[in-house]
Amino acid sequence: MRKSGLILVIPCYNEAKRIPLLVFADFLARHEEISVCFVDDGSKDSTNEMLQEFVAQNPDASCLITLPKNKGKAEAVRQGILDMLAIEGSCESSGLWDADRATPISQSLEFMAKLTGDPMIFAVVGSRWPHLGANIERGSMRSFIGEIMASVITRYLKLNIYDSQCGAKIFRADIARELFGRKFVSRWLFDVEVFTRMKRVFTRRLDVDAAVMMNVHCHEFPLRTWRDVPGSKLGISNAFDIFVEIIRIAWHYRRDETVLLTR
């Protein structure tokens, strides 16, 4: 695989009917500064065969990691990021992007420009904030659940994040190694843990108030376009589980204030 400034890890689980591979191929052909790593998380449909064919046709711009059993999005992303940073030591940044292209992959260029253009920024994370000029197609019920989640996250984890669950995030390589170095407590609500760990990294490295440093070093990027793609693995029916997971994460990190973030 070619050397790129940004490697995007794309977790996939039964995405045969949703993943727009032609869009990925066109984008990667036009932007050599970005490569992708697909992680098939034990799919039971034809996802793996489709990805194998894609990588065979685009070997310079893509690769595939196949997990024999489903381990959840958290572990799929973690393994993908760590493997890519180990293989491509010169890579400047890495991150995750949803397979269904709810966030157009073209917006990764804006994320990358923000990250590389400001040495104070360590992470750029997508935010589905319905601001003027944006086309955010998000169901009203999911928006409502998202707002409640943000309130709970702020209260119990002290994280002032508007949209923790957006599947578009990139990190400077050295920060990514720390954030993803240890397995996550949550199987699929790992985004919340990423921000919790980020606060700890800033506190340990800079010995200053973490909340202030989150505002300085983590940029929440208002997406211009996002659409709710049918077939999401996480929906309204999971609302109770989401809140239980948030409390579980809060309890875990408060109980173990010395949790290690690296192997």
Side-chain angles (χ1 to χ4, degrees):
M1 192 167 71
R2 67 194 181 196
K3 293 184 178 180
S4 302
L6 170 64
I7 298 178
L8 293 175
V9 171
I10 302 174
C12 303
Y13 178 66
N14 293 344
E15 299 286 357
K17 295 181 180 180
R18 302 202 313 161
I19 186 166
L21 291 177
L22 290 178
V23 174
F24 280 110
D26 178 68
F27 177 81
L28 294 171
R30 291 184 289 109
H31 299 284
E32 295 185 1
E33 69 274 26
I34 299 177
S35 297
V36 298
C37 170
F38 296 102
V39 181
D40 177 27
D41 188 22
S43 294
K44 294 178 174 60
D45 62 1
S46 60
T47 296
N48 193 265
E49 291 78 6
M50 292 172 60
L51 293 177
Q52 287 186 42
E53 182 178 354
F54 180 90
V55 171
Q57 295 173 353
N58 302 273
D60 294 334
S62 64
C63 68
L64 171 63
I65 296 174
T66 300
L67 304 182
K69 295 182 179 180
N70 179 257
K71 295 186 177 182
K73 185 177 180 180
E75 186 60 15
V77 170
R78 195 183 79 89
Q79 289 196 23
I81 287 181
L82 292 180
D83 285 359
M84 289 299 96
L85 291 178
I87 295 171
E88 300 294 337
S90 61
C91 179
E92 298 175 355
S93 56
S94 184
L96 59 142
W97 214 265
D98 279 344
D100 59 12
R101 202 174 154 267
T103 306
I105 193 172
S106 59
Q107 290 194 57
S108 65
L109 298 171
E110 298 173 71
F111 281 41
M112 192 176 179
K114 189 69 179 180
L115 188 67
T116 58
D118 187 343
M120 294 293 289
I121 294 179
F122 297 159
V124 179
V125 299
S127 178
R128 294 165 290 188
W129 174 49
H131 56 286
L132 289 175
N135 180 25
I136 307 298
E137 300 177 18
R138 195 179 187 188
S140 58
M141 184 57 68
R142 292 191 68 177
S143 295
F144 176 69
I145 293 296
E147 290 175 4
I148 294 178
M149 278 186 62
S151 298
V152 175
I153 289 169
T154 299
R155 177 176 179 179
Y156 288 98
L157 298 176
K158 310 301 180 185
L159 293 170
N160 189 25
I161 303 294
Y162 176 80
D163 187 5
S164 64
Q165 296 306 111
C166 181
K169 298 178 175 69
I170 68 171
F171 310 90
R172 210 172 66 182
D174 57 331
I175 294 295
R177 290 187 179 91
E178 293 195 67
L179 298 179
F180 292 88
R182 185 178 175 88
K183 286 189 175 182
F184 293 103
V185 173
S186 174
R187 180 177 170 87
W188 36 263
L189 205 63
F190 72 99
D191 306 76
V192 176
E193 283 193 72
V194 168
F195 291 114
T196 301
R197 293 180 177 190
M198 198 181 300
K199 281 184 62 177
R200 293 171 178 272
V201 170
F202 294 158
T203 301
R204 187 177 71 248
R205 283 188 169 198
L206 304 171
D207 193 27
V208 290
D209 184 79
V212 173
M213 289 299 98
M214 285 287 284
N215 288 334
V216 173
H217 297 300
C218 180
H219 179 76
E220 199 166 6
F221 194 98
L223 298 176
R224 291 182 293 101
T225 302
W226 190 89
R227 61 191 181 90
D228 199 348
V229 179
S232 173
K233 309 301 185 300
L234 190 62
I236 302 303
S237 61
N238 302 111
F240 178 76
D241 295 331
I242 288 172
F243 299 137
V244 170
E245 284 286 272
I246 291 174
I247 301 303
R248 181 185 178 206
I249 292 168
W251 179 83
H252 174 82
Y253 285 97
R254 288 179 184 178
R255 175 182 59 83
D256 187 6
E257 291 294 331
T258 59
V259 64
L260 296 176
L261 300 183
T262 55
R263 289 175 174 175

